[in-house]
Coordinates of all heavy atoms in Angstrom, one line a residue:
A2 N -3.2 -2.6 8.3 CA -3.1 -1.2 8.0 C -3.3 -1.0 6.5 O -2.6 -1.6 5.7 CB -1.6 -0.8 8.4
V3 N -4.3 -0.3 6.1 CA -4.7 -0.1 4.7 C -4.1 1.2 4.3 O -4.3 2.3 4.8 CB -6.2 -0.1 4.5 CG1 -6.5 0.2 3.1 CG2 -6.7 -1.4 5.0
I4 N -3.3 1.2 3.2 CA -2.6 2.3 2.6 C -3.1 2.6 1.3 O -3.0 1.7 0.4 CB -1.1 2.1 2.7 CG1 -0.6 1.8 4.1 CG2 -0.3 3.3 2.1 CD1 0.8 1.2 4.1
A5 N -3.6 3.8 1.0 CA -4.1 4.2 -0.4 C -3.0 4.4 -1.3 O -1.9 5.0 -0.9 CB -5.0 5.4 -0.3
L6 N -3.1 4.0 -2.5 CA -2.0 4.2 -3.5 C -2.6 5.2 -4.6 O -3.7 5.0 -5.0 CB -1.7 2.9 -4.2 CG -1.0 1.8 -3.3 CD1 -0.7 0.5 -4.1 CD2 0.3 2.3 -2.7
A7 N -1.8 6.2 -4.9 CA -2.2 7.1 -5.8 C -1.5 6.9 -7.2 O -0.5 6.0 -7.3 CB -1.8 8.5 -5.4
T8 N -2.0 7.5 -8.2 CA -1.3 7.4 -9.5 C 0.0 7.9 -9.5 O 0.3 9.0 -8.9 CB -2.2 8.2 -10.6 OG1 -3.5 7.7 -10.6 CG2 -1.5 8.0 -12.0
A9 N 1.0 7.2 -10.0 CA 2.4 7.6 -10.1 C 2.9 7.2 -11.5 O 2.2 6.7 -12.3 CB 3.2 6.9 -9.0
A10 N 4.2 7.6 -11.8 CA 4.7 7.4 -13.1 C 4.7 6.0 -13.5 O 4.4 5.7 -14.6 CB 6.2 7.9 -13.1
C11 N 4.9 5.0 -12.6 CA 4.8 3.6 -12.9 C 3.8 2.9 -12.1 O 3.9 1.7 -12.0 CB 6.2 3.0 -12.9 SG 7.5 3.8 -13.8
G12 N 3.1 3.6 -11.3 CA 2.2 2.9 -10.3 C 0.9 2.4 -10.8 O 0.5 2.6 -11.9
D13 N 0.1 1.7 -9.9 CA -1.2 1.3 -10.1 C -2.2 2.4 -9.9 O -2.1 3.1 -8.9 CB -1.5 0.1 -9.2 CG -0.5 -1.1 -9.5 OD1 -0.1 -1.2 -10.6 OD2 -0.3 -2.0 -8.6
R14 N -3.2 2.5 -10.7 CA -4.2 3.5 -10.5 C -5.3 3.0 -9.7 O -5.9 1.9 -9.9 CB -4.7 3.9 -11.9 CG -5.8 5.0 -11.8 CD -6.3 5.3 -13.1 NE -5.3 6.0 -14.0 CZ -4.9 7.2 -14.0 NH1 -5.6 8.1 -13.3 NH2 -4.0 7.6 -14.8
G15 N -5.6 3.7 -8.5 CA -6.8 3.4 -7.7 C -6.6 2.1 -6.9 O -7.6 1.5 -6.5
A16 N -5.4 1.6 -6.7 CA -5.2 0.4 -6.0 C -5.1 0.7 -4.4 O -4.9 1.8 -4.0 CB -3.9 -0.3 -6.5
T17 N -5.3 -0.4 -3.7 CA -5.1 -0.3 -2.2 C -4.1 -1.5 -1.9 O -4.0 -2.4 -2.6 CB -6.4 -0.4 -1.5 OG1 -7.0 -1.7 -1.8 CG2 -7.4 0.7 -1.8
L18 N -3.5 -1.2 -0.7 CA -2.5 -2.2 -0.3 C -2.5 -2.4 1.1 O -2.7 -1.5 1.9 CB -1.1 -1.6 -0.7 CG 0.1 -2.3 -0.2 CD1 0.2 -3.7 -0.8 CD2 1.4 -1.5 -0.5
E19 N -2.4 -3.7 1.5 CA -2.2 -4.0 3.0 C -0.8 -4.5 3.2 O -0.4 -5.5 2.7 CB -3.3 -5.1 3.4 CG -4.6 -4.6 3.4 CD -5.6 -5.7 3.9 OE1 -5.2 -6.7 4.3 OE2 -6.8 -5.4 4.0
L20 N -0.1 -3.7 4.0 CA 1.3 -4.1 4.4 C 1.3 -4.6 5.7 O 0.9 -3.9 6.6 CB 2.2 -2.9 4.3 CG 2.7 -2.4 2.8 CD1 3.7 -1.3 3.0 CD2 3.3 -3.6 2.1
G21 N 1.8 -5.8 5.9 CA 1.9 -6.3 7.2 C 3.1 -5.9 8.0 O 4.3 -5.9 7.4
S22 N 2.9 -5.4 9.2 CA 4.1 -5.1 10.0 C 3.9 -5.6 11.3 O 2.7 -5.8 11.9 CB 4.2 -3.4 10.2 OG 4.4 -2.9 8.9
E23 N 5.0 -5.9 12.0 CA 5.0 -6.6 13.3 C 5.9 -5.8 14.2 O 7.1 -5.6 13.8 CB 5.4 -8.1 13.2 CG 5.3 -8.7 14.6 CD 5.8 -10.2 14.5 OE1 4.9 -11.1 14.1 OE2 7.0 -10.5 14.8
A24 N 5.4 -5.4 15.4 CA 6.3 -4.6 16.3 C 6.4 -5.3 17.6 O 5.4 -6.0 18.1 CB 5.7 -3.2 16.5
R25 N 7.5 -5.3 18.3 CA 7.6 -5.8 19.6 C 8.7 -5.0 20.4 O 9.4 -4.3 19.8 CB 8.1 -7.2 19.5 CG 9.4 -7.5 19.0 CD 9.7 -9.0 18.9 NE 11.1 -9.4 18.4 CZ 11.3 -9.4 17.1 NH1 10.4 -9.2 16.1 NH2 12.6 -9.8 16.8

């Protein structure tokens, strides 16, 4: 799952993030 990250007060500019999640 690819989640776009936007500019925030302390955040990364233009970064993307893959968060692993497992469901059962």
Side-chain angles (χ1 to χ4, degrees):
V3 177
I4 302 167
L6 298 178
T8 302
C11 305
D13 298 332
R14 182 181 296 272
T17 59
L18 172 66
E19 291 187 2
L20 281 184
S22 295
E23 183 179 279
R25 64 184 184 275

